[in-house]
Amino acid sequence: MADWFFTSDLHGQGALYEQLLGMAATRRPRAVLIGGDLCPHDASGNGVASQRVFLEGFFTEFAHRLREAVPGSDLLLVMGNDDWAANLDCLERGSGTLWHLIHEREVTLDGTRVAGLSWVPITP
């Protein structure tokens, strides 16, 4: 079985996304899974808007670059507790083309089923 990468909690940090891209280009995994906290943490009144800009800009460009660097690799993801659920529609738009949003659904890659849940328990 080919390598699969899993990471989480990148929190919109460009340097971490660049490291992931570099590692993927070198190792050429079959799949890259990001398990939440994709976006920069922003608890201000502009959090939803700033994360939307991140998802529609930087993150979408990252997905394009990953596809170019590792053709045939799939990007799977779920949102985390620091990602505003109001921006789920941004991820839905790219699902099936640039990535697979696996919250409450599954995808099958080379006979392996992968499912995700983006549930976070109530915390203080």
Side-chain angles (χ1 to χ4, degrees), residues 104-121:
E104 295 189 321
R105 56 185 85 149
E106 70 178 48
V107 296
T108 301
L109 301 179
D110 303 334
T112 300
R113 292 178 7 185
V114 182
L117 281 175
S118 185
W119 295 103
V120 177

Side-chain angles (χ1 to χ4, degrees), residues 5-25 32-34 36-41 54 58-59 62-63 65-66 75:
F5 284 4
F6 175 85
T7 191
S8 66
D9 298 281
L10 299 180
H11 292 283
Q13 295 180 47
L16 295 178
Y17 278 98
E18 290 301 318
Q19 284 181 334
L20 177 57
L21 185 61
M23 290 175 61
V32 174
L33 295 88
I34 304 178
D37 292 340
L38 311 166
C39 301
H41 178 73
F54 173 81
F58 181 91
F59 189 77
F62 164 78
R65 291 177 60 212
L66 180 63
L75 177 60

Side-chain angles (χ1 to χ4, degrees), residues 25-81:
T26 300
R27 296 286 303 267
R28 308 187 64 74
R30 172 62 184 95
V32 174
L33 295 88
I34 304 178
D37 292 340
L38 311 166
C39 301
H41 178 73
D42 189 342
S44 74
N46 296 325
V48 173
S50 67
Q51 286 191 2
R52 181 171 292 271
V53 167
F54 173 81
L55 291 171
E56 291 176 340
F58 181 91
F59 189 77
T60 297
E61 181 61 27
F62 164 78
H64 281 291
R65 291 177 60 212
L66 180 63
R67 175 162 286 164
E68 290 172 8
V70 191
S73 182
D74 282 284
L75 177 60
L76 290 75
L77 49 97
V78 294
M79 297 180 95
N81 64 312

